[in-house]
């Protein structure tokens, strides 16, 4: 994976990425990602990086909790990491 590929995760934001993927694959009632701004550029980065999503989820699990807690979509690091774990369990 190139630096440009990793930049897509930064463009989306790790918490937004996990929240949006969780909504799409596990729970349609989960809508925290809707609280974010610039959703069009985030969705574009999401759609253009699908082959890296598993690696992104693994990276999120390694992230510093304090960094993950800085999100603006009202999720705590432990929630984000739990969702990432659940997603990894169902992805091929």
């Amino acid at each position: 994976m190139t630096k440009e590929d990793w930049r897509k995760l930064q463009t989306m934001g790790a918490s937004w990425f996990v929240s949006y993927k969780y909504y799409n694959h596990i729970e349609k009632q989960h809508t925290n990602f809707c609280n974010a701004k610039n959703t069009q550029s985030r969705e574009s980065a999401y759609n253009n990086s699908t082959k890296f999503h598993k690696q992104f989820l693994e990276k999120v699990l390694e992230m510093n909790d304090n960094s993950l807690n800085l999100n603006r979509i009202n999720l705590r690091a432990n929630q984000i990491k739990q969702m990432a774990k659940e997603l990894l369990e169902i992805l091929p």
Side-chain angles (χ1 to χ4, degrees):
M1 188 168 1
T2 68
K3 287 183 181 183
E4 183 63 32
D5 298 323
W6 284 115
R7 212 167 284 128
K8 290 176 183 166
L9 179 60
Q10 291 174 324
T11 297
M12 290 181 277
S15 56
W16 183 91
F17 163 70
V18 173
S19 179
Y20 190 67
K21 191 155 192 76
Y22 195 81
Y23 165 82
N24 282 305
H25 293 278
I26 294 181
E27 185 182 326
K28 288 294 186 190
Q29 286 81 20
H30 177 85
T31 57
N32 289 68
F33 67 93
C34 293
N35 295 325
K37 296 178 180 179
N38 305 320
T39 55
Q40 188 173 9
S41 63
R42 292 173 194 261
E43 287 176 5
S44 177
Y46 179 92
N47 292 328
N48 291 320
S49 64
T50 55
K51 66 181 178 179
F52 302 116
H53 285 188
K54 188 171 184 175
Q55 289 171 287
F56 289 170
L57 291 167
E58 290 166 348
K59 180 71 170 174
V60 167
L61 293 177
E62 298 171 2
M63 290 180 73
N64 178 290
D65 286 0
N66 291 330
S67 295
L68 283 174
N69 284 331
L70 295 175
N71 71 77
R72 294 185 179 139
I73 60 172
N74 302 319
L75 290 172
R76 306 306 302 158
N78 63 325
Q79 294 171 300
I80 296 165
K81 288 182 176 182
Q82 181 58 43
M83 288 188 292
K85 287 178 187 174
E86 289 178 40
L87 286 161
L88 282 168
E89 289 175 3
I90 65 164
L91 290 179

